[in-house]
Amino acid sequence: MSGQPHLVPSAPRGGVDASALPEHGFGPSTPSWWGTIGFMVIEGFTLLICITAYFYLRRNFDSYPPHGFAPPGLLISTINLAVMLLSIPVAMRVHEAAHAKDARRVARASAVLLGFGIIVLVLRVFELNTLNVRWDSNAYGSAVWFTVGFHTLLLLIDFAESLAIGLIFLLGKEEEKHFTDAADDVQYWYFVVGAWIVLYAVIFLSPRLF
């Protein structure tokens, strides 16, 4: 009836009114952060299986690499590892700018980080040519190529994501949610670099130490 006041449904007893919460955030409060963590856990277990297979197959050979095969070359792989490590301060600037919601700083730092990504991928092409074994030569070759190849796939995935996010900021098309995306992408880059530190020790250094 026209004389009755308009009633607003109240929140359920014991419930929480979340209408005032921000739609986008950072860290564990966002689903995208947990999604990124999930990817890293899955891919981390895959890399762990690769490492386990590498050392398990070692028991089948008198020497590792097998006789007639030189250890993977160190020069290019060491340079590439250095480039990845040098990219970390740039990634940190992207992360800080994203949390500050400074679109211009995110765009500039992302462009530099993409440059590092291109250098890493180009070096990886040369790096593959220094493994000194074909993937089908023996079990050792298969383990080495699959491990390095899987990490290369992670590099490509991260570069594609970084490129997409970077272009959004460089073109000035960013929205609130893209700051969260930029921060999560940096988190994934930390994982990719950290994984390569371990794989570098396994594939390139261990044959010379043990």
Side-chain angles (χ1 to χ4, degrees), residues 90-175:
V90 180
M92 292 174 65
R93 284 199 286 273
V94 175
H95 193 266
E96 292 169 358
H99 276 262
K101 298 184 179 180
D102 188 331
R104 182 169 295 183
R105 284 175 55 204
V106 172
R108 289 199 300 262
S110 294
V112 177
L113 191 59
L114 282 170
F116 273 99
I118 292 172
I119 294 172
V120 168
L121 286 171
V122 171
L123 286 172
R124 176 54 55 85
V125 174
F126 292 100
E127 201 170 25
L128 292 172
N129 290 324
T130 67
L131 297 179
N132 295 324
V133 66
R134 286 173 51 91
W135 67 271
D136 57 352
S137 297
N138 45 46
Y140 161 78
S142 297
V144 168
W145 273 88
F146 186 84
T147 303
V148 178
F150 184 76
H151 187 266
T152 303
L153 177 62
L154 302 187
L155 285 174
L156 290 170
I157 291 172
D158 183 77
F159 181 78
E161 182 178 11
S162 298
L163 179 61
I165 296 172
L167 286 175
I168 288 173
F169 281 94
L170 288 168
L171 296 174
K173 303 295 185 181
E174 72 280 349
E175 300 175 13

Side-chain angles (χ1 to χ4, degrees), residues 53-116:
Y54 176 87
F55 285 113
Y56 177 81
L57 292 170
R58 186 172 188 165
R59 306 188 313 164
N60 299 333
F61 299 92
D62 296 329
S63 63
Y64 215 58
H67 292 296
F69 295 92
L74 275 179
L75 179 60
I76 301 298
S77 60
T78 302
I79 293 173
N80 208 10
L81 176 60
V83 173
M84 291 186 198
L85 293 176
L86 288 172
S87 74
I88 294 299
V90 180
M92 292 174 65
R93 284 199 286 273
V94 175
H95 193 266
E96 292 169 358
H99 276 262
K101 298 184 179 180
D102 188 331
R104 182 169 295 183
R105 284 175 55 204
V106 172
R108 289 199 300 262
S110 294
V112 177
L113 191 59
L114 282 170
F116 273 99

